[in-house]
Amino acid sequence: MRRRQMLIASGTVVAATATGVMSQPSGDNALLTVAREPGSATESSTATETILSGTVHETTVFERDAPRDGPTAMIFGGVHGDERTGIEVARDTTEWYPDAGTLVVVPETNRIAVDENTREGPEGDLNRHFPAGKEPVSDLARGIWDAVERYDPDVVLDLHRSLGIAGVHQQYVGQAVYHSSDSYGDELASYLNDVAVPWYMPLHRISARRTHSGGPLLFQKAIRDLDATGYLFETTDFMLDRDTRNEHTRLAAAKTLALHGLLEVGNN
Ligand SMILES: [Zn+2]
């Protein structure tokens, strides 16, 4: 009920200022169209692989090669099984066509947790199972990491959702791009603020935050052990409906691919 009232309240602001100089975010249909349409990538080849086959963790990896050489990017959804935004957007990206390089997607990384709609699954928090320079600490994490090592991605993007907003709500991490030092984290955040975050929701502006190197998160291990450029994107449940969360996350995924040259856009 509370959320509904807040959404109505912000709708009222829009109505009151619609004739003013408000800069309404337009989304970015051009970028998403480039991602979704085969375009020059009609000769792309697709493959799927089942990893952790025959185990309770069995899950599918989707790979699409563009006709032109370029970097390999890996997108993960469902590391936390109750964060549906990341799962849904990762599934979307399995239908995208890179113009260069290779796009590898694991939409349901923590398969049991996704099926049960829980954060962790039976082995605990998967995103704490990837210590630097050491073996992953669970069967699931080992299986996922084996696949990461085989694809040897240049870019890793892990999609998440928090209850609150980083820097606004203590202990929450939403509306933020966590990134390695060699990344386009600042560009990605400012792009999302331009195209996706309305001016009347200043708390929802997306911040770019350099990741610390000591953590046991999947993207941190890819940064350290494989020298990948890493991103972890967090949207939030707070005052954002599902479609909006998904749109923020979808644009984050598309822009990351564009910034790294997998999608060819006029002026990215
Ligand atoms: Zn998460």
Side-chain angles (χ1 to χ4, degrees):
M1 185 49 131
R2 186 150 168 258
R3 171 188 290 178
R4 186 169 173 78
Q5 286 168 343
M6 285 170 151
L7 290 175
I8 289 168
S10 55
T12 307
V13 173
V14 176
T17 56
T19 54
V21 292
M22 183 179 75
S23 68
Q24 175 79 288
S26 58
D28 190 346
N29 289 330
L31 177 59
L32 293 176
T33 300
V34 165
R36 287 169 178 148
E37 289 188 346
S40 65
T42 45
E43 296 158 24
S44 65
S45 67
T46 61
T48 59
E49 178 195 1
T50 304
I51 58 173
L52 291 151
S53 266
T55 76
V56 291
H57 300 299
E58 183 172 301
T59 196
T60 304
V61 180
F62 297 82
E63 177 184 357
R64 182 163 268 146
D65 282 313
R68 276 195 289 116
D69 286 346
T72 295
M74 275 188 102
I75 296 178
F76 294 90
V79 167
H80 292 139
D82 61 343
E83 298 177 4
R84 310 312 291 185
T85 285
I87 299 161
E88 289 169 16
V89 170
R91 284 179 185 145
D92 285 355
T93 68
T94 68
E95 305 287 323
W96 290 3
Y97 292 86
D99 298 302
T102 302
L103 175 60
V104 181
V105 186
V106 190
E108 301 179 8
T109 308
N110 189 346
R111 176 67 185 280
I112 297 177
V114 171
D115 288 350
E116 296 179 350
N117 200 28
T118 57
R119 177 181 170 86
E120 299 194 346
E123 293 188 321
D125 186 342
L126 176 59
N127 219 18
R128 302 294 181 273
H129 289 183
F130 297 95
K134 297 183 195 158
E135 278 293 292
V137 301
S138 62
D139 291 343
L140 170 57
R142 264 188 297 279
I144 298 297
W145 187 251
D146 282 350
V148 176
E149 282 190 315
R150 260 183 291 117
Y151 287 104
D152 192 18
D154 302 286
V155 183
V156 167
L157 171 62
D158 192 7
L159 302 176
H160 288 257
R161 177 236 58 198
S162 181
L163 299 177
I165 299 174
V168 176
H169 303 110
Q170 247 183 352
Q171 96 254 18
Y172 289 119
V173 293
Q175 297 301 92
V177 178
Y178 298 84
H179 61 89
S180 55
S181 55
D182 62 343
S183 75
Y184 297 106
D186 291 331
E187 290 89 336
L188 178 57
S190 64
Y191 164 81
L192 291 167
N193 288 326
D194 283 350
V195 305
V197 183
W199 65 269
Y200 52 82
M201 297 184 81
L203 298 183
H204 285 76
R205 286 183 69 77
I206 288 157
S207 54
R209 294 165 182 256
R210 175 103 44 104
T211 188
H212 62 87
S213 59
L217 279 59
L218 172 57
F219 89 124
Q220 292 171 324
K221 187 170 179 65
I223 293 166
R224 288 179 311 240
D225 291 9
L226 300 180
D227 227 1
T229 301
Y231 302 88
L232 186 151
F233 182 71
E234 293 266 7
T235 182
T236 184
D237 268 0
F238 179 73
M239 285 179 68
L240 293 186
D241 61 22
R242 172 179 160 175
D243 286 349
T244 306
R245 282 196 301 274
N246 284 12
E247 189 68 359
H248 286 187
T249 306
R250 196 178 290 113
L251 288 166
K255 188 63 176 180
T256 301
L257 297 180
L259 286 165
H260 285 277
L262 283 91
L263 293 177
E264 205 167 66
V265 193
N267 55 351
N268 70 82

